[in-house]
Amino acid sequence: MRVSEKIIEGLLWLSAVITVLVTIGIIWVLLSESIGFFRQVSIVEFLTEKEWTPLFANKKFGIMPLVAGTLLTTLIAIAVALPLGLTIAIYLNEYAHARMRQIVKPLLEVLATIPTVVYGFFALTVVTPFLQQIIPGMAGFNALSAGIVMGIMIIPMISSLSEDAISSVPRSLREAAYGMGSTRLQTSFGVMVPAASSGIIVSVILAISRAVGETMIVAIAAGQQPRLTMNPLVPIETITTYIVQVSMGDVPQGSLEYKTIFAAGITLFIFTFALNNLSFWIKKKYQEKYD
């Protein structure tokens, strides 16, 4: 038993070390290549310029259009996923019978297993034509369709994590609310949701992080036109879409244009790193509060 336990402990330690080394390697590649980019392009221009045209003759290196496109599709996705995901979580926890819960939860998990390229083509060939019948001026590639389908994709993440957070609320709070004469609806939204707010907030932040890093849906359905706009009806380009565009194109490796993908990549890394740490901080803060 001691030998087997030591082997297992060693494998776990090795897995942790490999994870840390891979993360350090990714950061090193991003930083080393980005430094070469910022030696030729001012970081002030990178952060304040309002146009992103590194592949054009008149080159401009303002990341803001890509950031705006990323935030726009993410906001649309959260606007779709948050109310639906939270409503599903409350229904499963407070209203659904055990048999219904056993049916609905696996069906939700199926959404998480669908390849994102399928979601992308669904947005382009189904959602966009449908929305164009309602909004005639909508472009064929647009942020609205991509954001809506991205929201559908992250519904399982919000609903599952929120349902787990609501389930972890002490039963005594629910019974106390019923004892005070509260209805099931009042108990759900007035007691259970506030008590599980830390877990719900964490689920939303993780869903935002997932949406920020999404590639195929926005690459297929949102277009490849970087523009500084919050209009969801026109083509836009996100950070991930641009990275795919350059990586799959004819840009010479080692050129300034090629190095832009590392500058964009480290921007994306900072976004997701900040969001993940924010969720960890919120969870830790609430745990310390209630412990």
Side-chain angles (χ1 to χ4, degrees), residues 190-210:
V191 177
M192 304 302 290
V193 171
S197 59
S198 63
I200 294 172
I201 292 172
V202 168
S203 73
V204 173
I205 294 174
L206 292 177
I208 292 174
S209 180
R210 175 69 180 86

Side-chain angles (χ1 to χ4, degrees), residues 21-274:
L21 291 178
V22 169
T23 304
I24 292 174
I26 292 172
I27 296 173
W28 170 253
V29 171
L30 288 175
L31 283 176
S32 60
E33 295 290 343
S34 298
I35 289 172
F37 171 80
F38 288 115
R39 284 174 180 169
Q40 302 178 61
V41 178
S42 167
I43 192 170
V44 176
E45 177 187 355
F46 182 73
L47 296 176
T48 59
E49 175 64 49
K50 297 181 179 180
E51 293 185 31
W52 178 261
T53 57
L55 305 181
F56 293 7
N58 182 21
K59 301 182 187 302
K60 294 186 178 180
F61 299 95
I63 195 66
M64 291 306 297
L66 299 184
V67 173
T70 302
L71 293 179
L72 178 58
T73 53
T74 301
L75 288 174
I76 295 171
I78 293 300
V80 172
L82 178 57
L84 290 176
L86 187 56
T87 301
I88 292 170
I90 294 172
Y91 170 75
L92 291 176
N93 193 270
E94 299 296 319
Y95 291 89
H97 296 291
R99 184 169 181 83
M100 177 62 71
R101 192 179 299 115
Q102 292 174 356
I103 296 173
V104 173
K105 290 196 74 171
L107 290 177
L108 284 174
E109 299 301 326
V110 170
L111 290 176
T113 64
I114 298 175
T116 55
V117 66
V118 175
Y119 279 114
F121 282 111
F122 174 75
L124 182 64
T125 61
V126 177
V127 177
T128 296
F130 173 76
L131 291 177
Q132 284 177 329
Q133 295 178 0
I134 304 173
I135 311 172
M138 175 182 286
F141 296 99
N142 59 84
L144 184 59
S145 298
I148 290 173
V149 175
M150 195 189 304
I152 295 172
M153 181 192 68
I154 62 177
I155 283 175
M157 177 178 290
I158 293 181
S159 63
S160 178
L161 294 176
S162 297
E163 201 268 335
D164 290 341
I166 296 173
S167 298
S168 65
V169 175
R171 187 176 180 82
S172 58
L173 290 179
R174 182 189 289 106
E175 294 174 347
Y178 287 140
M180 295 291 291
S182 299
T183 64
R184 184 178 292 184
L185 182 65
Q186 291 171 331
T187 301
S188 299
F189 288 93
V191 177
M192 304 302 290
V193 171
S197 59
S198 63
I200 294 172
I201 292 172
V202 168
S203 73
V204 173
I205 294 174
L206 292 177
I208 292 174
S209 180
R210 175 69 180 86
V212 167
E214 173 53 36
T215 304
M216 293 311 300
I217 295 176
V218 289
I220 293 172
Q224 295 182 356
Q225 297 183 25
R227 61 178 76 196
L228 187 59
T229 181
M230 295 303 288
N231 182 2
L233 306 181
V234 298
I236 52 93
E237 186 170 37
T238 65
I239 296 175
T240 53
T241 303
Y242 175 76
I243 293 174
V244 171
Q245 178 187 2
V246 174
S247 300
M248 300 290 289
D250 299 324
V251 178
Q253 188 172 355
S255 63
L256 178 61
E257 293 82 358
Y258 184 80
K259 291 179 181 178
T260 56
I261 64 174
F262 296 99
I266 199 167
T267 304
L268 183 66
F269 176 82
I270 291 171
F271 267 109
T272 54
F273 181 80

Side-chain angles (χ1 to χ4, degrees), residues 269-288:
F269 176 82
I270 291 171
F271 267 109
T272 54
F273 181 80
L275 288 170
N276 290 337
N277 279 274
L278 178 61
S279 65
F280 176 79
W281 178 79
I282 291 174
K283 185 177 181 180
K284 184 178 180 181
K285 180 181 178 181
Y286 275 84
Q287 284 177 342
E288 292 176 350

